[in-house]
Amino acid sequence: MNQNDFLPLSAEPSAVPGLWRSKLISLLMLIGWALMVARLIHLQGAQRELLNSKVTQQSSYTETIPARPGEILDRNGHVLAMTVTRESLYAVPAEIQDAGEFVWQLSRVIDINSDQLFQRITENPDRQFIWVRRRLSDDEADRVRRLDLPSRTWGFRREYLRQYPQGRFAAHVLGMRDIDNFGHGGLEESLDELIRGSDGQRLMTRDARGIVVEVEAARSRTPQHGRTVVCSLDLLIQIQAERKLEELCDRWKPLGASVVVMNPHTGEILAMASAPGFDPNHPGDVPPNAWRNLNISAVFEPGSTFKPFVVGWAIEKDFLKPGEMISCANGAYRMGKRILHDHHPYAELSVEDVLVKSSNIGMARIGERLGLPELQHLTLAFGFGSRTGIELPGEIDGLVRPLPDWDEYSLGSIPMGQELAVTPLQLITAHSALANGGRLIRPHLLLDASVDDHTALALTRIETVEATPNVESTILSPAVADWLVRFPMKGVVERGTAKSSRISGLSIFGKTGTAQKPDPETGGYSNSRHVCSFVCGAPAEHPEVLVLVMVDEPTADGLHYGGTVAAPAAVEILDFALRRLPQMAGQTAVRPEHDLPGQRLWPGGRGASWSSPFSTSAPRHTVRGVRMAIGFVVDPMTESDRSDLGRVQWSVRAGIRGRERIGFRRCLRENAFGMASGRNTSCL
């Protein structure tokens, strides 16, 4: 018998369980290492790009470098729109220990919504950046700096602020830029991409504390600053036009009014204004229609201002001779189912006097000779029913109905300027064709800085927006156009419906218009609501300037005719523009030195620096190396003419949102000159 058989059970070898435990531990360790290796392989393989991108996001930061918007200058170098830098305040919620104390300190020195800022900070405790208030004034920024706030809790970023040194002048032409540098309305919108430029980017690397340790220049992009715009406006003529328009509105209390000053030979717009207006520097509460540029966005029946086109076309096409006598039926003439009347009965009138006396019967007789197809042909040839193509957003087409919609009634109405609707800009563009020898020229607001005679060589050092090509077509012979201007239209001022607006020593030609507005209640024309207009130019022997004034529904007591309401303001603007032309011819668009000894200076809009009225020079402003005068223009008028610039709100509803085909009178009621319709409806 073996002695091992007598060993107790507790004395059996313990190697078996120990071996089992060691193997289990080894297996677990092997599995753990396998998992770790698999995880490493997974991280370095499948998730490598994801993790790298997360690291890059956490350590890299892309900062936008805003482009500086370009200036807008008038033809003589006065700055109409400019860009300055301002400090914008931001907070770092992740570094703020006591949000209440932080907000309270700031509210003591700047105007902020304390409750809203406190909520934004407490709701975003991990954020590294939130705006507090953008574009502070220098005084506000200094007050913030003097606060004893922890340096890591706040900071400044420099941003661009758009300013308009001339205040409300030319506001409808310029438009405005919002806080994010996007243009709205006027040249600011139509040339937005060119003026705004292209933002740059700066790529930076920062450590775990958020401190920038490297700027990656190779991957950064410099901003492309906006281009400068040289427009055709003359600031002094613009100021005069707006002042006279304001005086007109104070006297006649109309729903709206507008004025355009134009060079008939080049199509350059020297001034354009619309009332009511606004100051783009100080948006506030204004009437609903203040944002509208009535010169391009309102339509009306032209009335008697349309008559010269009919007479000129009839002579050009040999339907009429300038020396003919036209029977006017002693003041009452039947056309189909209606009877036409003149204000004064005439047995017969010469073709010239038909225009001078503005005889409706005489025009109807001429219309009968032309016929409906020829009447529509001349209407379209003079540019009515289509946009002029000026560099402004929101221009509408006007209204010329299709020929099948014209009838026997139209044969008498169209020659009198009824049954069609035009914009003020379309009307003065058509009259320019009479003043320049029969050429219909596209109106424009941009000057070519590199070749235009008005500009200086210094301007070529600035990258400017190029002018669009000119477009023109010949519609009348020079002889016919010259006859219309020198005889009938000059006679209107000397012995016709505008004789009260004569200026001694000045050879003025023009045409008055008094159009009845549609009456929405009766469906016909109102006897008490009118659009009064007057278009004039001078000198008649060689026209250099045209002025058009439109007044929508004057409500003050008095005779509401084009010759009494619109003509006085128009001839005063014309007289000023003619006296201004010799000075314009000798001026340059950008003057390196702009000393004006012995002349008063007109201060710009709010925010511009004041200078003594007896200052000998204007303040300077540098635009990429070129010095220009800003904030002040030579003021040839009295100090009593200066008025405070009111706070108004600006809004833009540019462009036509939809077109619908509706009846002529309904359309005209909804789009009538100066009437806000709630929607811009094109009637074509």
Side-chain angles (χ1 to χ4, degrees):
M1 178 178 294
N2 193 323
Q3 64 179 12
N4 291 335
D5 294 338
F6 299 98
L7 292 175
L9 293 177
S10 59
E12 291 182 358
S14 59
V16 175
L19 181 62
W20 179 84
R21 282 194 298 269
S22 64
K23 290 183 177 179
L24 178 61
I25 292 173
S26 299
L27 179 61
L28 292 176
M29 292 180 65
L30 181 62
I31 292 174
W33 281 105
L35 290 175
M36 291 178 63
V37 171
R39 178 58 176 165
L40 289 174
I41 294 174
H42 181 255
L43 292 177
Q44 293 295 323
Q47 290 192 317
R48 180 175 183 176
E49 294 184 2
L50 176 62
L51 294 176
N52 284 338
S53 65
K54 286 185 177 182
V55 171
T56 302
Q57 291 176 2
Q58 293 174 0
S59 62
S60 299
Y61 172 69
T62 301
E63 180 184 22
T64 298
I65 308 173
R68 184 182 187 279
E71 278 69 29
I72 301 179
L73 315 177
D74 86 333
R75 65 190 303 118
N76 303 307
H78 296 117
V79 178
L80 304 179
M82 60 182 288
T83 302
V84 297
T85 55
R86 287 288 185 268
E87 302 281 13
S88 291
L89 177 63
Y90 68 88
V92 185
E95 301 291 341
I96 297 175
Q97 302 297 324
D98 188 345
E101 176 68 16
F102 180 84
V103 173
W104 180 77
Q105 291 280 4
L106 287 178
S107 65
R108 292 169 48 214
V109 296
I110 60 174
D111 183 18
I112 58 174
N113 188 325
S114 302
D115 294 337
Q116 185 182 73
L117 179 59
F118 179 80
Q119 181 179 2
R120 291 169 59 205
I121 293 175
T122 54
E123 290 180 352
N124 302 277
D126 297 327
R127 292 191 60 176
Q128 296 290 327
F129 180 93
I130 62 169
W131 282 120
V132 175
R133 186 175 162 192
R134 300 174 70 178
R135 296 176 174 88
L136 302 178
S137 66
D138 292 340
D139 182 58
E140 290 172 326
D142 288 340
R143 293 201 299 266
V144 172
R145 289 189 182 97
R146 288 195 293 267
L147 292 175
D148 189 20
L149 295 174
S151 60
R152 295 177 59 84
T153 61
W154 63 281
F156 283 125
R157 282 190 181 177
R158 298 190 68 81
E159 289 192 298
Y160 291 123
L161 173 66
R162 197 66 160 173
Q163 288 190 341
Y164 301 88
Q166 312 307 333
R168 61 184 173 85
F169 296 118
H172 285 99
V173 175
L174 299 176
M176 68 174 292
R177 293 199 162 268
D178 61 23
I179 196 170
D180 294 314
N181 192 28
F182 289 98
H184 299 281
L187 294 174
E188 294 278 31
E189 179 177 337
S190 61
L191 304 176
D192 182 47
E193 292 186 4
L194 296 174
I195 295 176
R196 186 173 72 243
S198 177
D199 292 342
Q201 286 186 340
R202 181 184 293 119
L203 187 62
M204 299 175 290
T205 302
R206 56 190 178 186
D207 60 17
R209 296 173 296 173
I211 299 176
V212 176
V213 296
E214 181 185 5
V215 177
E216 300 185 39
R219 299 175 60 186
S220 300
R221 184 177 71 249
T222 58
Q224 300 297 318
H225 296 300
R227 302 174 68 180
T228 296
V229 174
V230 182
C231 70
S232 60
L233 297 182
D234 179 85
L235 183 56
L236 291 181
I237 298 177
Q238 181 72 32
I239 291 173
Q240 173 74 348
E242 296 206 32
R243 285 176 171 173
K244 293 304 174 184
L245 196 64
E246 184 179 1
E247 293 175 6
L248 183 153
C249 291
D250 290 341
R251 166 63 181 88
W252 293 102
K253 303 295 188 296
L255 298 184
S258 72
V259 59
V260 185
V261 183
M262 184 175 178
N263 183 327
H265 299 281
T266 64
E268 295 172 2
I269 301 298
L270 302 179
M272 177 182 286
S274 180
F278 63 92
D279 182 353
N281 290 308
H282 303 281
D285 294 331
V286 294
N289 60 343
W291 48 264
R292 299 182 71 194
N293 184 350
L294 301 179
N295 291 292
I296 61 172
S297 66
V299 295
F300 63 100
E301 290 185 281
S304 297
T305 55
F306 186 78
K307 293 175 180 179
F309 310 130
V310 178
V311 172
W313 191 267
I315 295 174
E316 180 74 21
K317 301 301 181 182
D318 293 327
F319 289 95
L320 190 66
K321 300 297 181 183
E324 278 191 58
M325 301 299 293
I326 304 296
S327 173
C328 295
N330 291 311
Y333 179 65
R334 177 176 290 277
M335 286 191 71
K337 298 180 180 179
R338 65 171 176 165
I339 298 178
L340 298 179
H341 297 277
D342 280 334
H343 288 290
H344 303 283
Y346 303 105
E348 62 178 11
L349 292 172
S350 65
V351 174
E352 177 181 339
D353 281 346
V354 166
L355 288 177
V356 172
K357 305 298 183 182
S358 200
S359 169
N360 289 335
I361 293 176
M363 292 304 304
R365 299 295 295 268
I366 296 173
E368 287 179 322
R369 295 192 187 186
L370 288 170
L372 292 179
E374 204 67 37
L375 283 173
Q376 189 184 60
H377 188 189
L378 78 89
T379 302
L380 298 177
F382 277 95
F384 299 114
S386 59
R387 303 173 191 177
T388 64
I390 194 169
E391 307 95 331
L392 290 176
E395 184 182 14
I396 62 177
D397 299 321
L399 171 63
V400 177
R401 294 185 300 159
L403 184 59
D405 293 343
W406 290 15
D407 53 23
E408 186 180 24
Y409 196 93
S410 306
L411 197 60
S413 298
I414 296 296
M416 294 187 295
Q418 296 180 342
E419 289 196 32
L420 72 155
V422 305
T423 65
L425 185 61
Q426 286 176 332
L427 186 57
I428 193 173
T429 300
H431 273 278
S432 292
L434 305 181
N436 64 26
R439 296 176 297 114
L440 187 66
I441 299 178
R442 181 185 66 83
H444 61 274
L445 281 163
L446 295 185
L447 294 182
D448 191 336
S450 61
V451 300
D452 195 271
D453 293 336
H454 296 291
T455 62
L457 293 177
L459 187 57
T460 60
R461 288 183 277 170
I462 308 175
E463 188 178 9
T464 58
V465 175
E466 297 179 359
T468 51
N470 201 7
V471 179
E472 65 177 68
S473 61
T474 301
I475 51 179
L476 292 179
S477 64
V480 173
D482 186 65
W483 179 84
L484 283 169
V485 168
R486 291 194 179 199
F487 295 98
M489 296 184 69
K490 184 178 179 182
V492 168
V493 179
E494 292 183 345
R495 57 189 179 86
T497 54
K499 59 185 178 182
S500 62
S501 300
R502 291 173 294 180
I503 296 179
S504 177
L506 189 58
S507 176
I508 302 176
F509 64 95
K511 189 71 186 80
T512 59
T514 307
Q516 296 171 289
K517 294 181 68 173
D519 189 335
E521 295 182 358
T522 65
Y525 287 99
S526 171
N527 293 322
S528 59
R529 301 166 60 233
H530 301 89
V531 175
C532 304
S533 59
F534 184 61
V535 57
C536 60
E541 294 70 27
H542 181 71
E544 296 180 342
V545 179
L546 279 186
V547 178
L548 172 64
V549 173
M550 296 290 180
V551 185
D552 174 40
E553 198 173 327
T555 59
D557 294 337
L559 297 175
H560 297 168
Y561 297 111
T564 57
V565 177
V571 295
E572 289 188 35
I573 297 170
L574 176 65
D575 182 41
F576 180 89
L578 288 171
R579 289 188 283 112
R580 175 78 180 135
L581 285 181
Q583 303 174 48
M584 290 168 51
Q587 289 177 336
T588 56
V590 176
R591 299 179 292 282
E593 297 299 331
H594 186 60
D595 293 330
L596 304 170
Q599 302 185 69
R600 291 193 312 275
L601 297 176
W602 171 264
R606 294 179 183 176
S609 301
W610 269 91
S611 176
S612 166
F614 306 101
S615 173
T616 59
S617 63
R620 312 293 188 192
H621 176 58
T622 300
V623 182
R624 286 182 286 285
V626 180
R627 301 174 72 194
M628 294 174 291
I630 66 167
F632 301 90
V633 296
V634 180
D635 181 14
M637 305 175 189
T638 62
E639 293 186 41
S640 61
D641 289 332
R642 298 177 180 174
S643 59
D644 292 77
L645 304 178
R647 292 178 178 270
V648 290
Q649 180 184 19
W650 182 89
S651 170
V652 170
R653 298 178 186 175
I656 304 304
R657 299 294 182 247
R659 291 181 169 85
E660 57 183 90
R661 298 182 179 274
I662 56 178
F664 171 75
R665 289 184 179 172
R666 176 185 168 196
C667 175
L668 195 57
R669 286 198 300 271
E670 294 181 349
N671 293 278
F673 182 86
M675 298 176 66
S677 62
R679 69 179 188 275
N680 283 331
T681 306
S682 175
C683 305
L684 299 180

